């Protein structure tokens, strides 16, 4: 376990989708860095079990909240319980999400397709809004959003998932210049060994699989670093690299 550094002393993080996979690995890495953590997830047993597991080596530093952060009520609940437990909030890892509905066909359930899109986007939007009043005056305020490889390339096996992850990149790149007191970044991992792995995955796919800890390291670096508006692609065996944003001189955004 790493000792608390002056940079992380007193920092508090909320990690959504924190009971498993990338979220759980991020919560663990933040605790190792000396950050106090609240993990939010929709499953009561899983959230509490993960908090208990992490708390065994970090007593008094981690708690769990059961909340659907894609809703206004759930997002506010997660943020409020973080404040109640730890006194303030500095860092957000917005990681909650769900698979899409697979290949779109004439038989696709439109309600399910809509739900997959809404859940993945609003699981970022709702907690960001709920946390905004608490983050705006914190000197180390930072947000990292989990997008995906599916947010930067075509994903014929699950177009709704790809649409939602593309949307998150646009959201991050738009939030960063609009909220200068809060650093807002994103990660786009390739395949990761999480409970969602395998959904829509072609048989015999050639891509190597990342461990959740590989992604968590990059998330923590973003949260504790200096970058703003950064979107990083992460794949096994290579250093994270920025996802290029087109620069069109005739379409520069107006100053805020």
């Amino acid at each position: 376990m790493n000792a608390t550094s002056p940079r992380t002393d007193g920092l508090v993080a909320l990690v959504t989708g924190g009971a498993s996979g990338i979220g759980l690995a991020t919560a663990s890495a933040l605790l190792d860095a000396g950050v106090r953590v609240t993990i939010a997830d929709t499953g009561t047993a899983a959230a509490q079990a993960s908090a208990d597991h992490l708390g065994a080596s970090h007593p008094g530093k981690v708690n769990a909240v059961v909340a659907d952060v894609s809703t206004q009520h759930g997002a506010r609940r997660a943020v409020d319980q973080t404040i109640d437990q730890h006194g303030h909030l500095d860092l957000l890892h917005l990681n909650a999400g769900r698979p899409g509905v697979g290949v779109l066909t004439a038989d696709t359930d439109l309600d399910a397709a809509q739900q997959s899109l809404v859940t993945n986007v609003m699981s970022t939007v709702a907690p960001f809004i709920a946390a905004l009043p608490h983050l705006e005056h914190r000197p180390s305020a930072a947000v990292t959003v989990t997008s995906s490889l599916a947010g930067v390339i075509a994903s014929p096996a699950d177009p709704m998932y790809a649409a939602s992850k593309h949307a998150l990149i646009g959201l991050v790149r738009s939030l960063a210049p609009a909220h200068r007191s809060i650093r807002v970044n994103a990660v786009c991992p390739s395949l990761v060994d999480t409970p969602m792995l395998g959904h829509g995955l072609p048989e015999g796919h050639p891509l190597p699989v990342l461990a959740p800890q590989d992604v968590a390291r990059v998330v923590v670096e973003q949260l504790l670093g200096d970058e703003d508006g950064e979107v990083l692609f992460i794949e096994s065996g290579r250093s994270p690299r920025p996802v290029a944003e087109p620069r069109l001189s005739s379409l520069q955004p107006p100053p805020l």
Side-chain angles (χ1 to χ4, degrees):
M1 182 170 59
N2 298 330
T4 301
S5 72
R7 180 151 193 165
T8 60
D9 187 27
L11 293 183
V12 174
L14 170 61
V15 179
T16 67
S20 65
I22 296 170
L24 180 58
T26 298
S28 179
L30 286 168
L31 287 163
D32 284 345
V35 179
R36 288 174 286 159
V37 175
T38 293
I39 60 173
D41 214 292
T42 55
T44 304
Q48 192 57 56
S50 295
D52 290 345
H53 171 71
L54 294 172
S57 54
H58 302 278
K61 302 293 187 182
V62 57
N63 67 301
V65 55
V66 178
D68 177 358
V69 296
S70 70
T71 69
Q72 184 180 58
H73 173 76
R76 286 179 175 174
R77 173 181 169 82
V79 170
D80 289 347
Q81 289 204 19
T82 304
I83 303 295
D84 290 345
Q85 180 74 20
H86 301 292
H88 59 270
L89 176 62
D90 304 280
L91 311 173
L92 279 179
H93 179 205
L94 299 177
N95 175 71
R98 55 169 288 173
V101 293
V103 177
L104 296 184
T105 71
D107 298 319
T108 295
D109 183 328
L110 187 58
D111 288 339
Q114 182 180 31
Q115 189 61 37
S116 69
L117 181 63
V118 169
T119 296
N120 285 346
V121 175
M122 295 310 296
S123 289
T124 292
V125 173
F128 181 86
I129 290 173
L132 199 52
H134 305 282
L135 294 176
E136 284 179 320
H137 304 294
R138 300 297 298 177
S140 299
V143 178
T144 287
V145 175
T146 301
S147 181
S148 170
L149 172 64
V152 295
I153 66 170
S155 182
D158 200 342
M160 296 308 297
Y161 183 75
S164 69
K165 294 299 185 176
H166 274 77
L168 292 183
I169 294 175
L171 182 66
V172 164
R173 285 176 167 163
S174 301
L175 290 175
H179 298 276
R180 288 299 189 188
S181 63
I182 304 168
R183 294 183 301 100
V184 185
N185 299 295
V187 293
C188 300
S190 60
L191 302 180
V192 185
D193 186 10
T194 72
M196 276 207 292
L197 182 65
H199 181 86
L201 204 62
E203 186 175 349
H205 69 89
L207 295 175
V209 177
L210 290 159
Q213 292 79 8
D214 296 330
V215 183
R217 280 192 293 271
V218 181
V219 172
V220 172
E221 287 172 3
Q222 280 190 337
L223 289 173
L224 301 180
D226 299 309
E227 296 298 327
D228 192 18
E230 178 182 70
V231 178
L232 287 180
F233 173 52
I234 310 169
E235 64 175 323
S236 181
R238 298 191 63 177
S239 298
R241 56 192 189 275
V243 177
E245 182 178 8
R247 297 294 182 184
L248 304 177
S249 58
S250 61
L251 294 177
Q252 290 300 313
L256 295 176

